[in-house]
Amino acid sequence: MTVMKGRKAIMEIFQAEDVEYMFGNPGTTELGFIDSLSEYPDIKYILALQEGVALGMAHMYSSASGRTGVVNLHVAPGLGNAMGALYNASVGKMPLVITVGQQDSRMLVREPLLAHDLVGMAKPLVKWAVQLQHAEEIPTVIQRAFKVAQDPPRGPVLISLPCDVIEQEIDFRLPVGGGIYRRSKPDPEGINAVTDLILKSGNPAIICGDGITSSGAQSEIIQVAELIGAPVWTGMFAGNLNFPVSHPHFQGKLMPDHGGIKAALAEADLILAVGANLFEEVFYNPVSPLPEGCELIQVDNSSWDIGKNIPPAIGLLADPKLALAELLDSLNLKMNETAEKIVRDRREAMAVQKQEERSKQERRIRKAWDASP
């Protein structure tokens, strides 16, 4: 063990977690924390002039890299400034570790300037929120924050750091772990059931969400769509390119109300939803988003999201990439010549439709070309 200040112990854990960047806007309560950065040149601090921007940058870094983003905010107003961006990170299921400087814990009861209940402020929008009470908690709390942020469904966590607590000295030993492997394979019976239901359907459709990108399943979803000849939709508020928009099967984004969704999916008798938030709404509509007689298959690595609003005919709890890979194998084994001919006809019809849409768009562009400066 080595005796060191709590703020240095935090940086040691950040380094062990391969933190590349910290995004933030620091203030008085973080001065010691920021001073510690000089000893860790591999961790780069990206200064923002407003906390919402700092959290937004961390969000996009995490989205692009798949890694945990680290954010450093300053006391209650700093967290308040970041709340809109924190909402986006929560809905987008971004794995973020957010540290917020807190006033000296010995005077919090006196309600000092800029202090507030940081845990209470953040709790509705994060997976876990905690305030350090003792420096000895640092190894457990910081390591747990990184774990919880990446556990499915991923999302932000918040740690309140009273400035006096992180200045305390502790006997520190770096937590040593072997890594957590989170990809879960689907139940084989579930794969068989999904395969049979797809092959029985006359007009299957696919809805894919950000779970596709977070699991790296873009190739698999394209192969499944082509194999079963299914049109593909994304949710209204997808944050990633989960399916190529130029692909003949791509139909666009679903409308943000149940009536619009039902109209878009009107011809489908089966929906395969993978890693998608079902169903995103902005405007209230009392109708079901599913057409009459349409069955729902839902694949996700989050048990909370499966059947959250609409009970599926089949729910498959698994990593989307692994589930789609096994579904491809199962479908290839069971498809017959009749099914393959039907699929070819559907693929050709979608290719013709996509070409017609492109031609219409080109005509609209040519008509308006050079019409304005």
Side-chain angles (χ1 to χ4, degrees):
M1 288 191 179
T2 304
V3 177
M4 64 177 66
K5 289 188 175 182
R7 56 184 167 89
K8 184 173 180 181
I10 293 171
M11 299 305 300
E12 288 285 325
I13 299 172
F14 281 2
Q15 184 171 260
E17 292 284 349
D18 293 325
V19 172
E20 286 185 297
Y21 302 102
M22 289 178 61
F23 303 88
N25 185 321
T28 51
T29 53
E30 296 84 51
L31 289 179
F33 192 53
I34 298 302
D35 283 345
S36 300
L37 276 168
S38 61
E39 301 177 49
Y40 300 89
D42 291 337
I43 301 176
K44 302 170 184 65
Y45 196 97
I46 309 299
L47 177 67
L49 300 184
Q50 207 265 0
E51 291 82 0
V53 176
L55 208 145
M57 287 194 291
H59 179 138
M60 293 313 298
Y61 164 78
S62 181
S63 179
S65 68
R67 302 172 71 169
T68 304
V70 176
V71 187
N72 167 233
L73 305 178
H74 177 52
V75 291
L79 176 58
N81 285 342
M83 290 295 275
L86 180 56
Y87 174 83
N88 289 342
S90 178
V91 172
K93 299 178 181 176
M94 285 298 113
L96 303 179
V97 170
I98 303 162
T99 66
V100 187
Q102 176 63 290
Q103 300 286 27
D104 193 306
S105 64
R106 295 166 294 187
M107 64 177 187
L108 284 178
V109 71
R110 305 205 299 257
E111 299 182 356
L113 185 68
L114 305 181
H116 196 63
D117 177 10
L118 302 180
V119 169
M121 286 176 66
K123 206 165 188 177
L125 295 178
V126 297
K127 290 183 68 180
W128 182 54
V130 63
Q131 179 164 295
L132 285 180
Q133 303 297 323
H134 310 282
E136 287 77 9
E137 298 172 343
I138 286 172
T140 299
V141 166
I142 305 299
Q143 179 272 331
R144 185 187 296 173
F146 280 89
K147 174 196 125 50
V148 172
Q150 287 284 354
D151 283 345
R154 303 186 308 172
V157 301
L158 179 134
I159 310 168
S160 171
L161 302 177
C163 56
D164 62 309
V165 174
I166 64 173
E167 291 297 327
Q168 296 170 5
E169 291 192 336
I170 59 170
D171 290 326
F172 178 72
R173 176 183 293 157
L174 187 68
V176 178
I180 300 175
Y181 298 89
R182 293 178 172 86
R183 290 189 184 272
S184 54
K185 295 185 72 174
D187 186 320
E189 290 186 13
I191 289 292
N192 285 331
V194 169
T195 302
D196 292 342
L197 201 54
I198 289 174
L199 293 178
K200 277 170 46 183
S201 71
N203 288 294
I206 292 174
I207 302 173
C208 61
D210 287 339
I212 294 293
T213 297
S214 63
S215 67
Q218 292 95 332
S219 174
E220 286 80 4
I221 195 69
I222 292 170
Q223 291 178 67
V224 169
E226 291 176 346
L227 183 62
I228 65 175
V232 179
W233 301 85
T234 66
M236 184 69 188
F237 300 106
N240 294 292
L241 185 63
N242 300 303
F243 197 89
V245 297
S246 60
H247 194 284
H249 290 224
F250 185 68
Q251 303 297 305
K253 293 185 175 183
L254 292 169
M255 296 295 290
D257 74 276
H258 282 185
I261 294 168
K262 187 172 187 174
L265 303 174
E267 296 182 7
D269 62 356
L270 176 73
I271 303 295
L272 172 62
V274 187
N277 183 18
L278 299 180
F279 285 95
E280 293 167 325
E281 301 175 83
V282 173
F283 306 105
Y284 174 73
N285 193 316
V287 305
S288 169
L290 294 179
E292 294 299 324
C294 182
E295 295 188 282
L296 174 65
I297 298 170
Q298 198 171 357
V299 181
D300 209 293
N301 62 359
S302 167
S303 59
W304 169 256
D305 288 309
I306 294 179
K308 181 174 65 176
N309 293 320
I310 297 176
I314 300 174
L316 199 60
L317 181 63
D319 176 82
K321 184 180 181 71
L322 298 183
L324 290 171
E326 295 202 11
L327 181 58
L328 277 168
D329 291 341
S330 181
L331 285 166
N332 276 313
L333 283 173
K334 292 189 175 184
M335 284 192 77
N336 55 38
E337 290 184 9
T338 302
E340 288 173 357
K341 183 183 183 306
I342 293 171
V343 166
R344 280 197 302 272
D345 292 342
R346 286 202 294 255
R347 284 202 299 257
E348 289 172 5
M350 282 184 282
V352 169
Q353 179 192 17
K354 181 67 77 172
Q355 186 55 50
E356 289 176 352
E357 291 172 355
R358 286 176 179 162
S359 298
K360 288 179 183 177
Q361 178 65 3
E362 287 171 2
R363 288 195 294 271
R364 284 194 292 267
I365 292 170
R366 284 197 298 271
K367 188 176 180 180
W369 196 257
D370 286 338
S372 62

